[in-house]
Amino acid sequence: MELRAELLKSIWYGFTALDLEKSGKVSKSQLKVLSHNLCTVLAIPHDPVALEEHFRDDDDGPVSSQGYMPYLTKYILDKVEEGSFNKENVDELCWTLTAKKNYRPDRSSTTVLPEKDAFRLWCLFNFLSEDKYPLVMVPDEVEYLLKKICMVMSIELNCVELEDFTSQDVVQQNGFSVWAFLEMMNSGKITRGTDKDIISMATEEIYREIVCDVLKEGYLWKKGQLRRNWKERWFTLRPSSLAYYTGEDRRECQGNITLDGNCCVEVLPDRDGKRCMFCLKTLSKSYEMSASDTKQRQEWTTAIQTAIRLHVEGKTSLHKDLKLKRREQRDQREKRRLDKEEELQRLRALQEERERKVAELELLKEAQKQAQVLLEQDEQKRRQQHEQLQQALEIQLREAEEARASMQVEMALKEEEAERQKKRILELEEMQKHLEEALQLERKARMDEEEFRYAQTGLLAEEEEKMKALMALQEEQEEYILKTEREKQELKQEMENKSRSLDEAQRQLEEVRANRYRVDQDVVAAQRKLRQASTNVKHWNVQMNRLMRPIGPGEKRPSLGSSFSSFQMPSQRDPGLRLRVRADSKDKESKENLDNGAGCEDEKRFSQASNGDMDIP
């Protein structure tokens, strides 16, 4: 499936190159030529009639890529056998078709890459591009490829120019197309005046390393199996084999050592005049080899162990595995970014909820103030009514007192009059014998006295009625006072209920604040994890750069090998595990500190709320 996916990437360029009108369709005659050439380079028999039979139900018009795909799969790709053809020939065929239409560099410029280097960069682009069409390469992969090329050339990548290219809107939305990538390389801004031969050598080396799966190349001394003499050979290490040739042109292959899980590498002591020796052991043979120095021996033994590990793990290509790991890292970064955005949205929602609670609390406070004002107004009205009623009662009491005093004065006058009448009666009694008329007058006086007494009795009865009315008014006043007290108690109960509602709203606000504080702590923990993960990724990149250092040639090749970095086996440990353990322990500590801090803050806020001094943000 991996081979088919790589072939489809190249064939896609060939198909789109035949679509001159950019309509997404190609004529059948052009598809016949393309199919015939594909069968030739893929070393499979070509059936010229199959295309017509496959599309005999269609009209005579052109065929789209979706229509051509079933034929390509059934009659070409299903017949492909891995190892029976050279994939480079397929790439060259598709490059020739697509370059005629799309690759038109400025030949007058001194920074334009040779055709062979452009082809190798096109193949590298296809290898590192995403598995979706149209083919594009994400900026991270472009930076990875350019760093490897610059590292081979022993120059530093111009990150400013690369950021200028990646900051374009088209690149940000869709990624790098191969033609934009080649245009950037032809501009010379990345290579910065480096000699074309050096660029070609670096491009070829990266091409063989990534596309051709060459883990390491170079000269080694090898001890013969029969004559036991030492000969210098050019060795090429791939994930499944170690081949050696008479020279670095790789024309005459002298042998091929198959690598599997039963192979191992051992370092040997110096002997027979050879130094920096090591031995590659298989089930059937042992191969003794000698490197030029200790560094080269370490690089070769590490690279061979890496090839054996890849074979044991069932992986056919180191860089395909690395590409998948980089893609997983990008997916993880994107996931973390999305999680962070979701967390920010949640924080915004919490902030809006907090603001809404604060607004509700303000409304409750305003309502409480209005209720307090209304209560004070009602209380003032009741006091005024009570004062008016009390004043009226006092006036009535004063009038009753005045009436009583006047009645007492009258009674005193009547008593004096009675005394005078008694004296008169005595005088009349003395005169009774003398005058009968005086008796009549005395009787009349007695009758008048009786009438006066009747009037006095009526006045006393009226006074009793007024006293009863006064007592009734006092009882009514007491009832009104009791009613006023009950209403005051009801208003006080209502105020207590509203105060409890206010306390509940304040408690909910404090809970929201505590939740926000915990969320802030979680964000800080997540950022700390992110920084730790970033540190781990940087450490991993350093390790990978150490592992993926370029292949240096032997002593007979021009001295570019001194700048090539070695390829070392990645560590089998999982630093992410230690990171997760540390992050879990730090999360527990931060949660305990958060709980303690939240409890103290809640106690402080509760004390402030009880004193009426709580601040509302």
Side-chain angles (χ1 to χ4, degrees):
M1 294 301 293
E2 294 181 356
L3 177 62
R4 175 174 293 190
E6 295 298 326
L7 290 175
L8 280 175
K9 288 183 178 180
S10 300
I11 296 172
W12 178 79
Y13 279 106
F15 183 90
T16 54
L18 298 177
D19 182 16
L20 300 178
E21 298 179 356
K22 296 183 179 180
S23 61
K25 294 184 178 182
V26 179
S27 63
K28 291 182 181 179
S29 59
Q30 290 176 317
L31 290 180
K32 285 182 182 180
V33 177
L34 176 61
S35 301
H36 179 74
N37 291 330
L38 288 175
C39 291
T40 302
V41 296
L42 292 172
I44 59 176
H46 175 57
D47 187 1
V49 186
L51 183 65
E52 290 293 341
E53 291 181 352
H54 186 76
F55 295 106
R56 61 186 176 184
D57 294 334
D58 297 343
D59 55 10
D60 296 332
V63 180
S64 64
S65 59
Q66 291 83 3
Y68 182 62
M69 183 57 67
Y71 169 81
L72 178 66
T73 303
K74 180 178 179 181
Y75 292 96
I76 298 179
L77 296 180
D78 287 346
K79 298 179 182 180
V80 172
E81 296 180 1
E82 187 172 0
S84 63
F85 66 97
N86 188 0
K87 185 179 180 299
E88 187 174 355
N89 295 333
V90 181
D91 294 336
E92 287 180 352
L93 170 64
C94 298
W95 165 254
T96 303
L97 292 174
T98 190
K100 289 181 180 180
K101 177 184 177 183
N102 300 302
Y103 185 59
R104 297 190 180 102
D106 186 7
R107 301 295 180 183
S108 61
S109 176
T110 57
T111 59
V112 175
L113 299 175
E115 190 76 16
K116 190 66 175 177
D117 293 341
F119 164 70
R120 289 168 180 162
L121 289 175
W122 178 78
C123 294
L124 288 168
F125 182 93
N126 291 343
F127 184 87
L128 297 175
S129 62
E130 299 297 303
D131 297 332
K132 57 183 179 180
Y133 297 91
L135 294 175
V136 293
M137 189 158 58
V138 296
D140 291 344
E141 293 295 320
V142 174
E143 184 179 0
Y144 169 77
L145 178 58
L146 293 178
K147 282 184 178 178
K148 288 189 69 65
I149 295 175
C150 292
M151 186 169 57
V152 174
M153 295 188 297
S154 299
I155 64 174
E156 187 177 356
L157 177 62
N158 191 351
C159 296
V160 177
E161 295 294 340
L162 180 60
E163 288 179 0
D164 291 340
F165 279 100
T166 56
S167 61
Q168 299 176 5
D169 294 338
V170 178
V171 175
Q172 289 288 338
Q173 295 176 1
N174 304 323
F176 270 93
S177 66
V178 65
W179 312 118
F181 175 69
L182 292 177
E183 180 182 357
M184 179 181 67
M185 295 299 296
N186 286 328
S187 66
K189 295 180 180 180
I190 302 298
T191 55
R192 292 180 294 182
T194 308
D195 188 68
K196 288 186 177 181
D197 294 336
I198 298 178
I199 297 175
S200 298
M201 188 178 300
T203 304
E204 180 183 3
E205 186 169 338
I206 299 301
Y207 171 78
R208 287 186 56 75
E209 178 184 348
I210 295 179
V211 179
C212 300
D213 289 329
V214 176
L215 301 181
K216 188 170 178 60
E217 283 185 315
Y219 280 104
L220 289 174
W221 289 90
K222 175 183 173 298
K223 189 175 184 179
Q225 297 291 323
L226 298 177
R227 300 176 61 183
R228 311 300 290 175
N229 58 339
W230 290 89
K231 291 184 180 181
E232 192 175 28
R233 301 298 186 194
W234 178 266
F235 281 81
T236 299
L237 176 63
R238 287 186 171 85
S240 60
S241 64
L242 176 63
Y244 51 95
Y245 306 85
T246 55
E248 57 182 298
D249 54 2
R250 300 183 298 277
R251 293 183 180 177
E252 297 181 10
C253 182
Q254 298 297 316
N256 190 10
I257 304 172
T258 302
L259 300 178
D260 53 23
N262 298 316
C263 299
C264 64
V265 182
E266 294 181 358
V267 177
L268 300 178
D270 299 342
R271 65 172 184 267
D272 297 337
K274 295 295 179 182
R275 53 191 297 272
C276 301
M277 295 177 59
F278 64 95
C279 177
L280 174 60
K281 293 183 179 181
T282 64
L283 288 177
S284 58
K285 294 181 181 180
S286 295
Y287 300 88
E288 295 182 6
M289 286 165 277
S290 174
S292 59
D293 52 29
T294 306
K295 180 181 177 182
Q296 286 293 321
R297 178 175 67 179
Q298 180 64 31
E299 291 178 1
W300 274 103
T301 54
T302 303
I304 293 173
Q305 289 173 352
T306 301
I308 295 172
R309 177 181 61 81
L310 290 174
H311 187 276
V312 171
E313 293 176 357
K315 299 174 181 177
T316 59
S317 173
L318 173 64
H319 285 279
K320 288 179 181 178
D321 183 45
L322 294 177
K323 182 177 76 171
L324 292 176
K325 289 181 179 180
R326 291 195 299 273
R327 184 177 298 173
E328 290 176 356
Q329 292 176 357
R330 288 197 300 272
D331 294 339
Q332 291 176 359
R333 287 198 299 270
E334 182 66 19
K335 183 179 179 181
R336 288 195 294 269
R337 186 184 65 81
L338 294 176
D339 292 341
K340 188 175 181 181
E341 290 180 357
E342 183 179 355
E343 186 70 18
L344 289 176
Q345 291 178 358
R346 192 165 66 86
L347 288 176
R348 292 192 192 99
L350 288 174
Q351 182 68 18
E352 292 176 358
E353 182 69 18
R354 187 182 71 84
E355 292 176 356
R356 187 178 64 81
K357 293 288 186 182
V358 170
E360 291 180 355
L361 186 60
E362 292 293 335
L363 292 175
L364 287 174
K365 284 186 174 181
E366 188 65 25
Q368 185 181 8
K369 291 179 180 179
Q370 293 178 359
Q372 186 70 22
V373 171
L374 292 175
L375 183 61
E376 291 176 356
Q377 292 177 356
D378 294 340
E379 185 68 22
Q380 187 175 2
K381 289 180 181 179
R382 290 189 182 90
R383 287 178 181 175
Q384 291 177 357
Q385 293 176 358
H386 180 69
E387 290 176 356
Q388 292 175 359
L389 181 61
Q390 188 173 4
Q391 290 175 0
L393 291 174
E394 288 178 355
I395 292 171
Q396 291 179 2
L397 286 173
R398 283 197 297 271
E399 291 177 353
E401 290 292 335
E402 291 176 356
R404 185 175 180 181
S406 63
M407 290 177 63
Q408 288 178 354
V409 171
E410 290 178 358
M411 288 179 66
L413 293 173
K414 293 294 183 183
E415 287 178 355
E416 292 176 357
E417 183 69 22
E419 290 295 331
R420 287 192 299 270
Q421 291 293 334
K422 286 180 180 180
K423 290 178 180 180
R424 187 177 179 180
I425 291 170
L426 291 174
E427 291 175 359
L428 291 172
E429 286 179 353
E430 291 177 355
M431 293 174 66
Q432 183 177 8
K433 294 178 179 179
H434 302 286
L435 297 169
E436 185 174 333
E437 294 177 356
L439 181 62
Q440 292 295 329
L441 291 173
E442 184 179 0
R443 289 179 179 175
K444 186 178 180 180
R446 289 180 181 275
M447 290 176 65
D448 291 337
E449 185 180 1
E450 288 294 332
E451 291 177 359
F452 177 76
R453 286 185 179 181
Y454 288 147
Q456 186 178 9
T457 304
L459 289 174
L460 291 173
E462 184 179 357
E463 183 180 0
E464 289 179 359
E465 289 178 358
K466 288 184 178 181
M467 289 296 294
K468 290 180 180 179
L470 181 61
M471 294 299 294
L473 287 175
Q474 287 181 350
E475 291 178 357
E476 183 180 359
Q477 183 180 8
E478 290 177 356
E479 289 176 359
Y480 187 79
I481 291 172
L482 292 175
K483 182 179 179 182
T484 304
E485 290 293 330
R486 285 196 297 271
E487 291 178 354
K488 187 175 180 180
Q489 290 294 330
E490 291 176 356
L491 288 174
K492 185 176 180 181
Q493 184 67 25
E494 184 178 0
M495 287 181 63
E496 291 178 354
N497 293 334
K498 290 184 178 180
S499 177
R500 284 195 294 271
S501 300
L502 179 60
D503 293 338
E504 180 65 22
Q506 290 176 348
R507 185 183 63 77
Q508 293 178 359
L509 178 60
E510 292 299 324
E511 291 179 356
V512 171
R513 286 183 175 175
N515 292 333
R516 180 187 175 187
Y517 183 78
R518 287 194 291 273
V519 170
D520 291 339
Q521 291 296 323
D522 294 340
V523 170
V524 170
Q527 291 176 351
R528 183 168 61 251
K529 290 182 181 179
L530 181 60
R531 290 195 295 271
Q532 292 176 356
S534 177
T535 303
N536 188 27
V537 169
K538 289 181 181 178
H539 175 71
W540 179 253
N541 287 333
V542 171
Q543 294 296 328
M544 292 304 301
N545 286 333
R546 291 178 181 173
L547 294 175
M548 299 300 301
R549 296 180 67 180
I551 304 169
E555 297 177 353
K556 290 187 177 182
R557 199 168 179 175
S559 178
L560 287 173
S562 61
S563 63
F564 296 168
S565 59
S566 62
F567 182 86
Q568 299 180 359
M569 183 192 304
S571 174
Q572 297 293 330
R573 298 180 179 178
D574 187 1
L577 181 59
R578 296 195 299 273
L579 179 62
R580 288 193 293 271
V581 173
R582 294 174 184 171
D584 292 339
S585 62
K586 290 182 178 180
D587 288 342
K588 291 180 179 178
E589 294 177 0
S590 64
K591 286 181 179 178
E592 291 176 359
N593 295 332
L594 176 60
D595 294 337
N596 295 331
C600 295
E601 186 176 359
D602 290 340
E603 292 177 0
K604 181 178 179 181
R605 290 177 179 171
F606 179 79
S607 64
Q608 291 177 354
S610 63
N611 294 329
D613 296 331
M614 185 178 69
D615 295 330
I616 304 300

